[in-house]
Amino acid sequence: MSGGPEKKSYQGRAITVTFEAGRCLHAAECVGGLPEVFDTGRRPWISPDGADADRLAEVVRRCPTGALHYTLADGGTETPERPTRITRSATGQLTVRGEQSVHTADGPRTETRAVLCGCALSRRQPYCDHSGPCGQ
């Protein structure tokens, strides 16, 4: 994961959505939540002006991996949940929501949502990439 995360930004009038493809585990909260904004068959696949900014921000916050984030035109961003919650799946995958500092090969990252590898076989440590048994 050297060179830092690759993020794409999709700017709308009231909100900008960023997407980090390497973190996406296809939970489909975005596509199911706002198909008029998130359409994988369209390019660009994210159209931020397709919904009200507050509604779009709410759907982005559903993304368990943190692959999606947003910034409002007034500079507002996501407030981390408090207290921080960690949930372990039956296979060992860790879903974390709340204020966190995740140490990566590129240095520490401040996060609000992440799915972390619990089996140590992910190629994107510490994030889960579904390559080991914890992502199954």
Side-chain angles (χ1 to χ4, degrees):
M1 198 167 114
S2 63
E6 289 199 30
K7 292 182 184 180
K8 287 192 176 182
S9 291
Y10 301 86
Q11 187 169 358
R13 289 183 301 277
I15 189 170
T16 297
V17 176
T18 58
F19 176 65
E20 190 177 334
R23 300 250 319 259
C24 183
L25 296 179
H26 308 291
E29 292 291 339
C30 56
V31 175
L34 278 175
E36 60 271 34
V37 172
F38 300 97
D39 182 349
T40 59
R42 181 183 61 216
R43 292 296 174 257
W45 78 281
I46 300 174
S47 298
D49 290 331
D52 174 73
D54 290 335
R55 174 82 174 114
L56 178 51
E58 187 268 320
V59 169
V60 166
R61 288 190 301 269
R62 291 185 202 167
C63 174
T65 65
L68 291 168
H69 284 276
Y70 67 89
T71 304
L72 299 171
D74 67 7
T77 59
E78 183 174 352
T79 301
E81 291 182 16
R82 288 194 176 87
T84 298
R85 292 180 298 135
I86 302 171
T87 307
R88 186 179 196 89
S89 72
T91 56
Q93 189 179 54
L94 301 169
T95 301
V96 185
R97 288 187 162 275
E99 193 170 22
Q100 54 192 290
S101 176
V102 178
H103 295 270
T104 72
D106 298 315
R109 292 182 64 176
T110 300
E111 299 283 359
T112 56
R113 292 170 278 115
V115 175
L116 304 176
C117 178
C119 68
L121 296 178
S122 172
R123 293 177 300 272
R124 296 193 50 83
Q125 288 292 336
Y127 303 106
C128 182
D129 68 0
H130 280 177
S131 63
C134 79
Q136 304 306 313

